[in-house]
Amino acid sequence: MGGMELEQALHAARALVLADLMADEVADADIVSLVEDAVVHRRWWVEQWPEGAAFVAGLIAQDVQDALLERYGRWPLCPVCTESGDPHALDVEPELGPDPHWVCPKTAVAVARVGRLRAPAEG
């Protein structure tokens, strides 16, 4: 895989994660900077392991999720378990694989593909 394909994979992953952040209306400048940091980190990773380019969207989503947890709190919150009174974040599954999804860790319900989260009002 050439440099252009690696960059395309990174830009596509960035766009997917930004779409999810925008769907939750949390894509302010500080948070977008976290996405950029994750892309920079994963650029090195995917340069070392080009076969992992298909996995980069899920990894960047996890990186941003981890950075948000440290600075701001859980994201994205699970829309499945809203009645439980125990708000929790969705997990990315598979942790290292193609076609990552946001999944409720308590019910194993796949909520959306990474990049396809919807704002709560949209159902």
Side-chain angles (χ1 to χ4, degrees):
M1 177 176 278
M4 184 61 87
E5 291 94 355
L6 294 178
E7 285 302 312
Q8 287 174 340
L10 289 165
H11 286 290
R14 177 186 181 275
L16 292 172
V17 174
L18 285 173
D20 286 343
L21 289 164
M22 290 180 0
D24 275 350
E25 299 179 357
V26 294
D28 67 24
D30 290 341
I31 293 174
V32 171
S33 292
L34 297 176
V35 176
E36 299 304 329
D37 292 346
V39 170
V40 167
H41 172 72
R42 292 301 172 175
R43 177 175 285 113
W44 178 87
W45 181 86
V46 81
E47 286 171 351
Q48 303 307 306
W49 188 46
E51 297 81 17
F55 309 152
V56 78
L59 292 169
I60 289 174
Q62 291 174 57
D63 292 345
V64 170
Q65 187 179 42
D66 291 345
L68 283 170
L69 182 59
E70 290 176 15
R71 292 178 178 85
Y72 301 101
R74 296 180 192 109
W75 175 84
L77 290 179
C78 178
V80 176
C81 301
T82 56
E83 303 297 317
S84 71
D86 178 28
H88 55 275
L90 298 171
D91 289 341
V92 174
E93 290 186 12
E95 285 186 29
L96 185 61
D99 194 26
H101 282 69
W102 292 110
V103 176
C104 171
K106 294 186 178 208
T107 64
V109 170
V111 173
R113 295 172 98 171
V114 168
R116 301 276 194 267
L117 281 179
R118 299 285 186 254
E122 295 177 25

